[in-house]
Amino acid sequence: MVINSLLSVFISHCIDSNYYSNSLRLVIFRSEMVFTLSDQHHLLSKIATNDGHGENSPYFDGWKAYDSDPFHATKNSNGVIQMGLAENQLCFNFVQEWIKRNPKASICTVDGVTQFKDIAIFQDYHGLPEFRNAVANFMGRVRGGRVTFDPDRIVMSGGATGAHESITFCLADPGEAFLVPTPYYPGFDRDLRWRTGVQLLPVVCESSNNFKITEAALEAAYEKAQEAKIKVKGLLITNPSNPLGTILDRETLRSIVNFINQKNIHLVCDEIYAATVFTQPKFISISEIIEEDIECNRNLIHIVYSLSKDMGFPGFRVGIIYSYNNAVVNCCRKMSSFGLVSTQTQHLIASMLSDQEFVESFIAESAKRLAMRHRIFTRGLSQVDISCLKSNAGLFVWMDLRRLLKDSTVKAEMALWRMIIKDVKLNVSPGSSFHCSEPGWFRVCFANMDDDTMEVALRRIQTFVLKGKEADLEVKRQRWRNDILRLSLKPLRYDEMTMTPRSMMSPHSPIPHSPLVRART
Amino acid sequence: MKLLSRKTTCNSHGQDSSYFLGWQEYEKNAYDEVLNPTGIIQMGLAENQLSFDLLESWLAKNPEAVGFKRDGESIFREMALFQDYHGLPIFKNALAEFMAEIRGNKVRFDPNKLVLTAGATSANETLMFCLAEPGEAFLLPTPYYPGFDRDLKWRTGVEIVPIQCSSSNSFQITESALEKAYRLAQKRKLKVKGVLITNPSNPLGTTMNLIELNLLISFVAAKGIHLISDEIYSGTVFNSPGFISITEALMDRNLHGSEVSNRVHIVYSLSKDLGLPGFRVGAIYSNNDTVVAAATKMSSFGLVSSQTQYLLSAMLSDKNFTSNYATENQKRLKKRHDMLVSGLQEAGIGCLKSNAGLFCWVDMRHLLSSKTFGAEKELWKKMLYQVGLNISPGSSCHCTEPGWFRVCFANMSEETLNHSMQRIKDFVDSTTDVVSRRHRLVVRNSRRRSSHDRDSER
């Protein structure tokens, strides 16, 4: 109502002064928008107008900062480097070589166009048989051939995003809940909850034991739900973990299986990072555990997979639901109508992943390149005393910046994060956006850029940390100066106390003085 | 404790419908000219297989565009990484222009108001999630596409209330039918959030005239509700009267940019017009910014493969290709349509006069043993198992009158179509019923008459 009256005053002023321009029309237009926005809440569904899409999370804010000022080696070398996007860009040349050698894999080439019509009209939600066979084969190879997957249980979805939503629709009714160990991928808040009406309840994991999922934590989360009278329908785990980059050991997996069987709830295992395990220990899939000597109702076991991370094809939207429960397979297959994989893409993937030689060499080469990136990155961080959670998988590290926080609060973490984006010009993801119980952790992606950009990113981090140390030192110096003034000590001591940044660095550090640091001294 | 959700055990996915059962029978015993000449001919699948040669020759002429290359450089990496739910700008631009071209460029579409989805299936479901709460309702004119029962209702919890249309006026929507449907919803204590129409109609194959469109606009304006126009068959109009899009009708009444236009949304897809159902290319077009924003975020659950977006952006940007394709495709559809209509007339079977779509709405009421849906089901089974044709019974499309069937004509070769006509003729000939023979005579005579009045209304 206030806006209404202000607006009418403005309009009358403009009319009185014979002033009528585009800006006035714009104001009127905007005011109409303002009035109709509140109408939207009656006109549209709650889902369309609430925040369930989760995009107001800081996880996405950093992306916006990147979008408005993206780093480019030559055109914008001061731009923001994107380290908040878990993409795998390390093996494209490898894939491109294969594509060049296999023109039939594309239905658009001279060699492949004979199949164009059949592929273009194929809309059976079972998917192309050769696609399902190839994906089942690939999933088995990624697990070292220790298990095989049945192509008839392979169900398509619109990426892992679509897979998670569909399987949630299948397993839970609105108001029911899934337990998820923290920290977890922020997208789950949208994928599992937004349109389904299902809740997510955290299983709190802590750094004191490297964020292990303990029986106690599981039981505590379950109890809490019971007390709140919320029906728990399942547990969702991501293995290898996003954002931790770690894999679950056999003991933890077995205790999880025991837990869900005992409670008679589902276990959804998101294994989309399975092929990003780059060093020992070897990855253990839930599909292996259930083949062991363990009591398990297979109707409770479901796997979500995708080619977005392992192969680096997020654009192709290849999501997979693999369930050991026939009713779930049937239901999810019907639901896959809402997010089938383009047959053009099914055809390409079928050709690529049924090439055994390519598959084996890709898996090996990808792991090698990820290992090297991880090694260079973590070494660079350790040179400025930044540690990461020890990890052997994923496209990121879980960086420990707790000691850089003003205090152990989310507020301090967000302040640090804003500083990192604004001053260091890196988009990293704050732990709070992953629902981490302890402030100070950040997920930093390392596989979505070339070697040179990674070097730039490392240098920026190192500079920032050193600057921080210099700043700390300056604070200490100031305190000391005050003390001197108070205690009337000789100025000579002050000179002796002055330290240059270089002397703080390890004698082995190759990092030259940053101009920022130089400017201070 | 119940292990799975209610959605797994309810029937809202609609797949127990005869519409889908016929398909299953076809799968088990599919016709092949050489390998299985007595098999079931699929006439229940609204596919457009008539113009693939045009697509294939375009591909042959444009190797760089489709070989993941730009200026000789590979763009594979860029393409494989592209997952922005706003969609590829060049693709959306091309699609917006393609949609305008289909409407004779009488209207223009803003690519920023276009949301890409995994097929029209996903577009329709997404609009429901955006516009209605569980338990609320949309009004749909009958008969309608059986898939709507799943797409609009299953996971959304939204209800469909039918707007009953009848053969007495060629199934056109009337004001009284609209009001009756609205009252029926109120009686069932369902809040009506909008009307969904398919124009051109599936299964009727007819386009709506300005009177009907204006009626709908006035109705939704008065009730303050939404109007969704599913225009996925807009490019299949092969005869007069031409296609009038809802956008054009709004413009005609100077309602472009008005409050009611904010509640009008279009669904589109390339599955029918270009014959590419496998590629899963659907779209929502809305003037309502909040709907566009919400639908865009929801499209994460079913984005169009970047590989497909790249291919089709090249194809649809080629204006020579698109205009030639449209003309040729419509010519071929008309030919097929006329073949089916005359073939059926030989057997004494009439169709609703139609000018669009990939099917005809066939009148087999005279072949029913009684005016009941039970008799319709009997006839459908005879057609499926005896005659070997999978056609879609009107009841699966929620038609209120038994005896109508949707028969597709664009998903097979000419020889197969002729063969199916022969089978129908043989079946009808074998029927010794005097009434049906007399009816055949009447229908054959009407064919001689109708060739003189092509331009008459419906």
Side-chain angles (χ1 to χ4, degrees), chain B residues 399-414:
Chain B
C399 187
T400 48
E401 303 164 35
W404 292 89
F405 289 78
R406 189 192 76 171
V407 181
C408 300
F409 55 68
N411 63 313
M412 64 196 69
S413 67
E414 258 182 44

Side-chain angles (χ1 to χ4, degrees), chain B residues 249-269:
Chain B
L250 283 168
M251 263 174 55
D252 214 52
R253 279 169 69 158
N254 286 320
L255 289 172
H256 182 70
S258 70
E259 204 215 326
V260 71
S261 78
N262 229 20
R263 297 198 304 272
V264 173
H265 323 279
I266 296 176
V267 166
Y268 189 56
S269 156

Side-chain angles (χ1 to χ4, degrees), chain A residues 40 43 45-46 55 89 92 99 117 120-122 125 169-170 173 233 266 314-315 331 342-345, chain B residues 2-3 5-6 8 15 52 76-77 80 82 85 129-130 133 226 263 277-278 288 290 298 305-308:
Chain A
Q40 300 281 32
L43 200 63
S45 69
K46 292 196 194 81
E55 283 190 25
Q89 294 192 22
F92 280 119
I99 289 186
K117 179 179 167 179
I121 50 171
F122 186 88
Y125 61 22
F169 269 127
C170 273
D173 286 313
K233 288 309 279 285
H266 294 278
C331 181
S342 168
T343 46
Q344 181 192 11
T345 301
Chain B
K2 190 170 53 73
L3 204 60
S5 71
R6 288 190 285 268
T8 47
Q15 280 195 212
F52 276 112
F76 181 80
R77 182 174 159 280
F82 186 82
Y85 60 23
F129 273 123
C130 284
E133 304 295 345
H226 296 275
R263 297 198 304 272
N288 186 315
T290 313
M298 287 187 190
S305 170
S306 56
Q307 186 189 12
T308 300

Side-chain angles (χ1 to χ4, degrees), chain A residues 62-100:
Chain A
W63 290 21
K64 290 172 197 158
Y66 165 77
D67 283 337
S68 56
D69 182 23
F71 171 84
H72 187 276
T74 48
K75 294 181 204 159
N76 188 19
S77 53
N78 284 323
V80 175
I81 297 179
Q82 174 64 287
M83 302 191 88
L85 187 53
E87 272 175 2
N88 184 353
Q89 294 192 22
L90 304 186
C91 284
F92 280 119
N93 59 342
F94 204 76
V95 173
Q96 272 160 217
E97 282 306 306
W98 185 90
I99 289 186
K100 258 196 243 163

Side-chain angles (χ1 to χ4, degrees), chain A residues 62 103 168 182 197 242 460:
Chain A
T168 305
T182 64
N242 174 12
R460 286 186 186 180

Side-chain angles (χ1 to χ4, degrees), chain A residues 15-198:
Chain A
I15 291 169
D16 285 345
S17 54
N18 284 321
Y19 179 74
Y20 186 75
S21 72
N22 284 332
S23 59
L24 176 60
R25 279 192 218 113
L26 191 60
V27 168
I28 294 173
F29 172 73
R30 277 211 188 105
S31 70
E32 275 176 350
M33 284 290 288
V34 167
F35 298 137
T36 53
L37 268 171
S38 61
D39 292 340
Q40 300 281 32
H41 288 274
H42 302 294
L43 200 63
L44 308 180
S45 69
K46 292 196 194 81
I47 289 176
T49 47
N50 68 18
D51 280 343
H53 50 73
E55 283 190 25
N56 299 332
S57 153
Y59 183 73
F60 297 102
D61 280 348
W63 290 21
K64 290 172 197 158
Y66 165 77
D67 283 337
S68 56
D69 182 23
F71 171 84
H72 187 276
T74 48
K75 294 181 204 159
N76 188 19
S77 53
N78 284 323
V80 175
I81 297 179
Q82 174 64 287
M83 302 191 88
L85 187 53
E87 272 175 2
N88 184 353
Q89 294 192 22
L90 304 186
C91 284
F92 280 119
N93 59 342
F94 204 76
V95 173
Q96 272 160 217
E97 282 306 306
W98 185 90
I99 289 186
K100 258 196 243 163
R101 290 193 310 269
N102 294 271
K104 259 199 179 154
S106 164
I107 49 173
C108 305
T109 58
V110 166
D111 300 89
V113 80
T114 46
Q115 301 214 53
F116 183 83
K117 179 179 167 179
D118 289 337
I119 297 295
I121 50 171
F122 186 88
Q123 57 175 327
D124 180 350
Y125 61 22
H126 289 85
L128 290 168
E130 57 268 30
F131 170 75
R132 280 185 286 118
N133 290 338
V135 170
N137 171 59
F138 184 70
M139 287 172 72
R141 297 314 318 157
V142 165
R143 289 150 184 76
R146 297 182 294 277
V147 280
T148 52
F149 291 88
D150 177 0
D152 289 336
R153 291 191 179 281
I154 300 269
V155 173
M156 294 181 287
S157 58
T161 301
H164 277 294
E165 192 194 44
S166 284
I167 199 145
T168 305
F169 269 127
C170 273
L171 303 181
D173 286 313
E176 296 180 338
F178 261 77
L179 304 179
V180 198
T182 64
Y184 65 81
Y185 162 59
F188 284 157
D189 288 324
R190 170 198 59 196
D191 302 348
L192 274 89
R193 298 184 326 167
W194 190 21
R195 306 191 306 181
T196 62
V198 168

